[in-house]
Amino acid sequence: MSATGGTEDLLRLHAPQVLGALVRRYGHFDEAEDAVQEALLAAAREWPDRGTPDNPRGWLIKVASRRLTDQLRSDAARRRREENAARMTPRDAFTAPAPGESRAPSDDDTLTLLFLCCEPSLSPAAQIALTLRAVGGLTTAEIARAHLVPEATMAQRISRAKQKVRGTPFRQPGPADRDRRLAVVLQVLYLIFNEGYTATSGPALHRADLAREAIRLTRAVRRLLPQEGAVTGLLALMLLTDARSAARTGPHGELVPLDEQDRTRWDAEAIREGTALVEEALGQGPAGVYQLQAAIAALHDEAERSEDTDWPQILALYDILVRRAPEPMAELGRAVAVAMVHGPRAGLDELAALEGRLAGHHRLEAVRGHLLEKAGDLEAARAAYGAAAQRTLSRPESRYLQMRAARLAP
């Protein structure tokens, strides 16, 4: 969507509220979502030149409703369903409030849409695509570019996802299912952020648009669920991690590892906000995966120099993390912490236990190369770096690993 920054932000703010209004009225998620996208595109074309309406959400609802009504009226059966739904729905449930006013149910639409887009029956790839389209307000072309796939491929993925959730009631899950479904929502937002912060493939290390979108959506969820420690922890983790973005690459896009980064380029304001959120999250009940990861990120960000990093405390947090969620990547992070506290050979022993679950993964070989280099086994380190370079699909990571291997050549 081509719009100025201010207009684009405004459109993405209102997109889920407009979609929620239409879905509550008509009950056709896929058709309503298409109509909202058309309204967003119309606004992106008109508002920069003609000015933003006094009631942007009302304008979008009106335009999207007109598009959707025209579409539904082409079919008599659909028209009857629309009329029946309209008779059963209170009129103020799908009208925009006056300028300056708000209504709580529309504010909840963002969360309701996230639950719908993260329907557990969808694959993670479909959940991510549908979330970015319906809640994020991104066009299919924008999502396809972010994931480096053809637009037609992404359009097909989104279309299949919309068909799969067709008929799903537009409401939040009940108390018995809420925690499980919220965990899926947070996992999808976490995956979007991770793909933005460290792209799994392609020429760029960082896809800032995806990382920013994940942070924006997580902020929206936290506004609705301010007492949820997992939500607060996830937002803290994103902010503390993204704060390092400017220092992660050199002038030619080359990867700069954490211990070599110019920490004066880190975003101090994001670190302050993230650190405060970590403290808040840890006070909101038992620490979960996101709170613990955020606390680890805070310890990294608080160190003015790499050698000032509190590795014993990081190791203690990793010990808790892997006990609560024995996930291979967390255990890989713990192996690095073990090496920093007890020496590289101790870290290599930890890696041996991960061989089965991370066999063939480039990060296992990259960490192995790093620890072997620290241990003085340069030939084995060079081989590990080379293997990691061959296995990653990220070009910046591959170039960095090849450089590390070449540096150890006899």
Side-chain angles (χ1 to χ4, degrees), residues 5-26:
T7 299
E8 185 172 341
D9 291 343
L10 191 61
L11 294 178
R12 287 181 176 165
L13 172 67
H14 289 300
Q17 299 171 4
V18 175
L19 179 55
L22 264 67
V23 173
R24 278 188 276 110
R25 178 180 185 181
Y26 297 98

Side-chain angles (χ1 to χ4, degrees), residues 377-383 403-410:
D377 192 344
L378 303 188
E379 183 176 349
R382 184 160 60 92
M403 179 270 293
R404 295 294 296 235
R407 212 166 60 177
L408 300 179

Side-chain angles (χ1 to χ4, degrees), residues 28-59:
H28 297 276
F29 175 81
D30 46 355
E31 291 93 341
E33 199 277 326
D34 289 339
V36 171
Q37 284 291 322
E38 290 185 32
L40 293 173
L41 290 171
R45 288 192 300 268
E46 296 182 24
W47 292 3
D49 294 331
R50 299 183 182 180
T52 303
D54 291 335
N55 185 355
R57 184 172 62 182
W59 189 98

